[in-house]
Amino acid sequence: MKIITSVLGMVSTNTYIITNGGEALLIDPEENSAYIIEKCRKLQVNPVAILLTHGHFDHIGAVNGLKEALKLPVYAGKDEEYLLTDPSYNGSAKIGRTPLSVTADVLLDDGEMIKLAGFKIKAISTPGHTAGGICYYFESENVLISGDVLFADSFGRTDLPGGSQKDLADSIINKLFMLPDETQVYPGHGRSTSVGHEKKNNPIYSYRN
């Protein structure tokens, strides 16, 4: 596994290209589809799917351009459809950019396993930041893509449509912190971390009630 991070867009979103050396997954592609396509060309990898952790504008900005150019299927959580499709909910209608409406081709259930680009990936439903957000767990590689749920020494906001402080704390403490300590965490913004580090240092425990 090789993980390439590009920090894109107005709020510095981590867009990930995850590759086995031939095929690649595009995770939370923000804003610049032409840049992402060129990045894949330089890496000499073939994108096979787009994986979305949630539907906020800063995580879906390049999806439609990539779908049109590369004919890629889009994966997301089954309860996130309303956020993906409605610009008033996903925030794109409020920030002075073209309103975004994205259609997911595959809506994933909690615990559902998928096989893409040579990887086995588990979808973990993690409501709290949004109602239908999911994280992607690559068990064999000890990698978690956490979106805007879990950050290094921090966690996602809950004051946007579908957010819930209680649900977020439950998702992190009772789901993500159940993963092995050595699991490397790649969030939607900021630096990477590990489950073990966050279990010891993350302030989410103070917000569980």
Side-chain angles (χ1 to χ4, degrees):
M1 170 185 271
K2 185 176 183 180
I3 301 175
I4 299 94
T5 307
S6 296
V7 181
L8 303 174
M10 62 191 304
V11 291
S12 300
T13 301
N14 290 333
T15 289
Y16 296 110
I17 299 173
I18 296 182
T19 178
N20 60 12
E23 295 181 324
L25 305 173
L26 308 179
I27 300 183
D28 288 353
E30 161 63 340
E31 198 169 61
N32 195 333
S33 59
Y35 172 86
I36 296 169
I37 291 170
E38 178 63 14
K39 187 83 171 180
C40 291
R41 187 192 68 79
K42 289 182 177 179
L43 291 168
Q44 297 183 318
V45 297
N46 177 40
V48 295
I50 298 168
L51 275 57
L52 302 178
T53 60
H54 65 290
H56 283 149
F57 75 92
D58 56 316
H59 292 255
I60 64 172
V63 170
N64 289 332
L66 291 168
K67 282 190 72 172
E68 181 178 355
L70 303 176
K71 312 304 180 189
L72 301 178
V74 176
Y75 292 72
K78 71 172 186 178
D79 295 322
E80 198 71 348
E81 193 168 15
Y82 81 99
L83 202 68
L84 292 168
T85 57
D86 191 330
S88 65
Y89 281 112
N90 64 40
S92 61
K94 303 176 183 179
I95 59 168
R97 65 191 287 179
T98 302
L100 291 169
S101 180
V102 168
T103 299
D105 301 288
V106 182
L107 295 172
L108 298 167
D109 291 312
D110 183 28
E112 185 169 349
M113 299 293 300
I114 54 177
K115 295 181 180 180
L116 293 167
F119 301 110
K120 293 181 180 179
I121 309 160
K122 183 179 182 179
I124 302 175
S125 176
T126 48
H129 178 62
T130 66
I134 59 175
C135 296
Y136 296 98
Y137 179 44
F138 297 71
E139 182 175 7
S140 295
E141 291 77 21
N142 289 321
V143 165
L144 177 75
I145 305 297
S146 65
D148 285 3
V149 174
L150 179 63
F151 298 129
D153 299 320
S154 187
F155 50 85
R157 60 190 293 184
T158 59
D159 59 336
L160 298 172
S164 166
Q165 180 176 298
K166 180 180 181 298
D167 288 347
L168 186 76
D170 180 69
S171 292
I172 293 174
I173 295 169
N174 296 321
K175 288 190 171 182
L176 301 187
F177 284 178
M178 295 297 104
L179 299 176
D181 286 356
E182 63 269 22
T183 303
Q184 295 299 300
V185 179
Y186 290 83
H189 305 272
R191 62 178 176 84
S192 61
T193 182
S194 70
V195 167
H197 175 87
E198 296 311 314
K199 286 167 66 175
K200 294 178 180 178
N201 299 283
N202 199 284
I204 190 63
Y205 296 103
S206 301
Y207 292 81
R208 72 172 82 196
N209 297 321

